[in-house]
Amino acid sequence: LTGTSREQRAFQFLLAHAIPGDPHHILQTFDQWSYHCEHLSCVGPDKGRIVERVLLERAPLRVLELGTYCGYGTVLLAQGLPPGARLYTIEGDPRHAAVAEKVIRLAGFSEQTVELIVGPSEEVIPRLREKHGLMNANLVFMDHWKRCYLRDLRLLESHQLLAEGATILADNVLFPGAPHFLQYAKTCGKYHCKVHRASLEY
């Protein structure tokens, strides 16, 4: 009825209530919106703590996020980066990317720290090294279309974009589910797998 998307409405709420340059407060304000106003398919605070723990343990210098959406996961990742690290995030929907860009900059992250790349992941991944300077990633966070998880993991492998000992963190593999991705990760012999049990966001 308003002529704006729920993502744009969430951003207007952020502008009105969040503290610019404070990533933690931006995430809290997102959570407030999603709990009390409209549901957004963001990582949310419960699963967010798992992401924060992995970042703390791994201290990755080069992070790749597949599925920026509104920028919630991007801000979550960016605030946990060690000094000098860089985050590349890919979003296929230009409308979501437009909101995410504003959210990322509102949180205080520059293009030197967070680069948002708009385009389908299957087209962007093969160009990451030549066009965007990502030699390889220490951490990959997958939170885009579940049916693309396996395809994109194979693309990352074939283009040698995974650093030795890299961590792949994939959201929602049990529900709505990414069974082919999960089966491959468990049986191909390249990965040690761990499933983190968590509640659905919000």
Side-chain angles (χ1 to χ4, degrees), residues 77-127:
L77 289 164
Q79 74 168 356
L81 292 176
R86 189 163 166 75
L87 168 60
Y88 302 79
T89 182
I90 301 171
E91 174 53 50
D93 187 326
R95 293 164 303 175
H96 293 162
V99 173
E101 181 81 46
K102 290 184 274 196
V103 169
I104 293 161
R105 306 311 165 210
L106 184 67
F109 299 109
S110 70
E111 289 183 19
Q112 280 67 48
T113 304
V114 179
E115 182 178 348
L116 173 59
I117 306 163
V118 185
S121 54
E122 72 270 23
E123 293 178 15
V124 174
I125 289 171
R127 302 197 309 256

Side-chain angles (χ1 to χ4, degrees), residues 37-75:
C37 302
E38 293 180 280
H39 178 271
L40 292 172
S41 305
C42 301
V43 181
D46 292 340
K47 291 188 285 186
R49 282 187 279 276
I50 297 169
V51 176
E52 287 172 331
R53 192 170 71 240
V54 170
L55 281 167
L56 199 61
E57 288 170 0
R58 304 293 183 196
L61 288 174
R62 295 173 305 280
V63 178
L64 175 63
E65 179 186 33
L66 303 178
T68 317
Y69 187 42
C70 292
Y72 183 105
T74 316
V75 171

Side-chain angles (χ1 to χ4, degrees), residues 9-201:
R9 292 193 291 274
F11 179 67
Q12 292 304 319
F13 185 79
L14 278 188
L15 279 180
H17 299 281
I19 301 168
D22 185 336
H24 184 66
H25 196 260
I26 295 239
L27 295 176
Q28 281 186 323
T29 310
F30 253 131
D31 293 334
Q32 195 182 342
W33 171 266
S34 294
Y35 277 124
H36 303 295
C37 302
E38 293 180 280
H39 178 271
L40 292 172
S41 305
C42 301
V43 181
D46 292 340
K47 291 188 285 186
R49 282 187 279 276
I50 297 169
V51 176
E52 287 172 331
R53 192 170 71 240
V54 170
L55 281 167
L56 199 61
E57 288 170 0
R58 304 293 183 196
L61 288 174
R62 295 173 305 280
V63 178
L64 175 63
E65 179 186 33
L66 303 178
T68 317
Y69 187 42
C70 292
Y72 183 105
T74 316
V75 171
L76 180 70
L77 289 164
Q79 74 168 356
L81 292 176
R86 189 163 166 75
L87 168 60
Y88 302 79
T89 182
I90 301 171
E91 174 53 50
D93 187 326
R95 293 164 303 175
H96 293 162
V99 173
E101 181 81 46
K102 290 184 274 196
V103 169
I104 293 161
R105 306 311 165 210
L106 184 67
F109 299 109
S110 70
E111 289 183 19
Q112 280 67 48
T113 304
V114 179
E115 182 178 348
L116 173 59
I117 306 163
V118 185
S121 54
E122 72 270 23
E123 293 178 15
V124 174
I125 289 171
R127 302 197 309 256
L128 280 173
R129 184 172 286 118
E130 287 175 19
K131 194 170 179 187
H132 302 280
L134 175 62
M135 300 312 290
N136 52 40
N138 309 109
L139 175 71
V140 178
F141 181 49
M142 293 186 167
D143 196 16
H144 56 326
W145 293 107
K146 313 312 156 208
R147 64 175 184 271
C148 301
Y149 279 17
L150 178 56
R151 180 202 68 196
D152 288 352
L153 178 60
R154 301 294 293 269
L155 270 177
L156 290 168
E157 290 173 351
S158 64
H159 287 86
Q160 280 128 29
L161 286 164
L162 298 175
E164 192 175 341
T167 300
I168 316 285
L169 197 55
D171 194 15
N172 301 119
V173 292
L174 297 179
F175 182 84
H180 299 299
F181 166 84
L182 210 51
Q183 184 184 19
Y184 175 78
K186 285 179 176 178
T187 61
C188 71
K190 301 174 188 173
Y191 305 101
H192 298 287
C193 289
K194 180 177 180 183
V195 176
H196 298 269
R197 300 282 171 175
S199 61
L200 284 172
E201 56 278 353

